[in-house]
Amino acid sequence: MPVVTERLGDSYFQDPQGLFARLRSSAPVTQVLTPEGMRVWLVTRYEDVRAALADPRLAKDWVAHMTPEDFDINVDPVQAFLDQHMLNLDPPDHTRLRRLVVKAFTPRRVAALRPRISAITAELLDAMAEGPAEADLIEVFAFPLSVTVICELIGIPVGDRESFRKWSETLLSSRGTREESRAAAVDMHEYFTRLVAERRRSPADDLLSALTAARDSGDSLSEHELLSMVFLLLVAGHETMVNLIASGTLALLTHPAELGRLQDDPSLLPSVVEELLRFANPLNHATERFTLEPVTIGGTLIPAKEWVMLATSSANRDPSRFADADQLIVGRDASGHVGFGHGIHYCLGAPLARLEGEIAFGTLLSRFPGLTLAVPESSLRWRPSSLIHGLETLPVTLR
């Protein structure tokens, strides 16, 4: 068994790309220890990551294939209950569940959300213009925009958003205790159970009501699957967009020449969103997979029942795939990035993320063309999460 030489900790949270660059050159497939104490194989090169994302020998449904002895850490049963959603399932269950929600995220249906997303954005920017000249962009814009959009789409009261934020940050943190994570999981489970009961009594024109109706009409959706589906859509839907907006804005502000090119030619915005997804992706890696049988990745043989972490953010900075990969380049052809994954688990919310990104970046920079960082970049801190790469705060000066 190879020796674990890398332990992911605070230096990784603050600079994951530093580790990725080193591993791509010296040990592109190597064992590491996560902050939670789990031993996993970390894959960092583009070619290996992209191929592994679509490899059926790397499975997701650990409930079906793994036993407690296969884990390096204890799995809390409540959190495991919420985690049994389509992102952690394999065909045919993954196919069945994805089919139930994919219609809500087709390009045509997402395009119909443009007026509402634009209105929410305008309301937030109006409030920012009337507020202090210095503000935390996450607090006043990135979080309220992303959480309002996903809550309205699913049918979750926006007034409860601070609770979601607290629960989500706790569950995704690599520093929290087991007791804190369990308490957050229990609170979310109880909340979603009450919400589903309310939708059964009073259906509405939202995704939650549609999913509840599918469950009650016997359309192959169990109560367990319904609750975990809502958990996935809410957490993934707002966490990724909060961090894309904040990290993307930081990337533009710290590349003033590229920002100027975008402001001179707003038609570049769709390609800029793709470049920001490549350069400042909000996830360090795809959710974990495990080997069903011995699998060779990048010339390294990984035994059966081993956990594998595919570093999509590292793949997106691989110079063998993208020239000047560590540079933000407005107008670059960033197609082929794996910011949304690849294969059957490709992010079904990609059309919504692209639309929301275009509206958020375009409107923000148009309304505040002199937007600047209010603190030195070196003082910014990143959240203590091995999965999420997101800023804790982003102080800006609004001009």
Side-chain angles (χ1 to χ4, degrees), residues 335-357:
S335 61
H337 73 76
V338 288
F340 289 126
H342 177 62
I344 64 170
H345 291 286
Y346 184 84
C347 177
L348 62 80
L352 178 59
R354 289 185 167 109
L355 175 63
E356 200 171 332

Side-chain angles (χ1 to χ4, degrees), residues 305-333:
K305 290 197 173 182
E306 291 280 313
W307 290 97
V308 179
M309 206 157 71
L310 305 174
T312 48
S313 282
S314 175
N316 285 342
R317 296 282 196 96
D318 189 339
S320 70
R321 175 60 180 81
F322 299 99
D324 299 316
D326 284 329
Q327 297 299 313
L328 179 76
I329 301 177
V330 166
R332 178 206 293 271
D333 178 6

Side-chain angles (χ1 to χ4, degrees), residues 120-133 135 140 367-368 398:
I120 297 168
T121 302
E123 291 169 7
L124 292 170
L125 294 177
D126 286 344
M128 290 163 59
E130 296 174 0
V140 299
R367 186 67 177 272
F368 298 104
L398 304 171

